[in-house]
Amino acid sequence: MSDDSTTDRDAGREEIDTTLAHSARMYDYYLGGKDNYQADRDAAEKMIEATRGGVRFGARQNRAFLLRAVRYLAAQGVTQFLDIGTGIPTSPNTHDAAREVVKDPHVVYVDNDPIVFVHSSALLGAEGRTAALRADLREPATVLEHPRTRDLIDFGKPVGVLFIAVLQFLEDADDPWAHVATYLDAVPSGSHLALTHFTHDFNPVGAAQGGKAYDKASARMSARGRAEVGRFFTGLDLVDPGVVQASRWRPDGPVADVPGGHPWMWAAVGRKP
């Protein structure tokens, strides 16, 4: 890591507020992780109650989708990835899944949160051709032109652009569709978009109640429907089976039928023609 990265990491530690529930730490709690605090656990339990425990199953299925999608992209010849809104690192991660298929993947992990940056810098610093950037996905130019991005990503070759369970934390006024389109404009034909998004389609009441757990957290949640999620793939060729529940996108085995579970997340992969 450069001196600038070290300075950012130290500043990140100073900015961490453990009394405010944080979306990344709540997600860590859903996954059974230990990088969370009481405020995170209290807020997460409200979401768990509202979804009848389904959010925990959904979070695990969301993570499993990420690994399946990355392996799929690597099998299509994609060897470099922009993982945007990565959250607190969890093993296995994007580079681990890619390495199952290709020898030397390049991965840039991006998140604007100081907590995530501290964890990512500590855990990914020794992982070879990976980099952790502290940047806001709503500022694509900052991400795309960052020296570490340019060092690791060859924009003349296909790139896997990943937005896993992060766009739900952007409101419509942020125009997340435009931001995603900007990233896709920067990558060549043969690149792919892999995306998951929290939805209210299957249980509007539960989604609204659960979403309140984020009202006083670090970021509010905007649940979106299947059609809205599909808009992110405008101009792309959707990979079969299209926009489906995360657990039903090319599953490795039988899909568990858990009440309140996997319907909480839409997932899809699309290829840039």
Side-chain angles (χ1 to χ4, degrees), residues 48-78:
I48 291 169
E49 180 180 2
T51 61
R52 293 180 289 132
V55 69
R56 270 194 152 146
F57 179 80
R60 295 186 177 109
Q61 289 296 328
N62 179 72
R63 193 73 194 176
F65 164 82
L66 165 65
L67 302 179
R68 293 197 305 275
V70 169
R71 289 194 295 266
Y72 170 82
L73 297 189
Q76 306 309 305
V78 177

Side-chain angles (χ1 to χ4, degrees), residues 11 119 133 155:
H119 283 277
L133 304 186
F155 286 94

Side-chain angles (χ1 to χ4, degrees), residues 20-30 40 43-44 87-88 111-113 115-116 165-166 168-169 213-214 217-221:
L20 176 69
H22 186 276
S23 57
R25 295 195 309 248
M26 290 170 67
Y27 186 69
D28 176 74
Y29 180 70
Y30 299 146
D40 311 308
I88 294 173
D111 205 290
N112 71 333
D113 191 87
I115 293 170
V116 172
V166 62
Q168 62 222 33
F169 297 111
Y214 289 85
S218 60
R220 300 185 65 176
M221 180 180 285

Side-chain angles (χ1 to χ4, degrees), residues 74-90:
Q76 306 309 305
V78 177
T79 62
Q80 44 187 8
F81 300 84
L82 275 174
D83 190 342
I84 302 173
T86 179
I88 294 173
T90 300

Side-chain angles (χ1 to χ4, degrees), residues 247-263:
S247 60
R248 299 182 184 277
W249 193 89
R250 300 185 174 223
D252 295 325
V255 178
D257 185 13
V258 178
H262 51 260

Side-chain angles (χ1 to χ4, degrees), residues 99-178:
R99 284 175 184 168
E100 294 180 25
V101 183
V102 297
K103 182 179 180 181
D104 192 27
H106 293 200
V107 182
V108 175
Y109 293 95
V110 182
D111 205 290
N112 71 333
D113 191 87
I115 293 170
V116 172
F117 183 74
V118 168
H119 283 277
S120 297
S121 297
L123 295 176
L124 299 174
E127 289 294 343
R129 299 188 182 278
T130 66
L133 304 186
R134 185 180 175 190
D136 194 315
L137 73 83
R138 292 168 294 186
E139 299 176 355
T142 300
V143 175
L144 296 168
E145 298 299 331
H146 193 283
R148 292 296 285 139
T149 303
R150 289 291 166 175
D151 181 48
L152 287 175
I153 304 296
D154 179 353
F155 286 94
K157 298 179 180 179
V159 180
V161 184
L162 315 177
F163 288 93
I164 304 300
V166 62
L167 295 169
Q168 62 222 33
F169 297 111
L170 270 61
E171 299 182 14
D172 286 358
D174 293 315
D175 198 352
W177 299 276

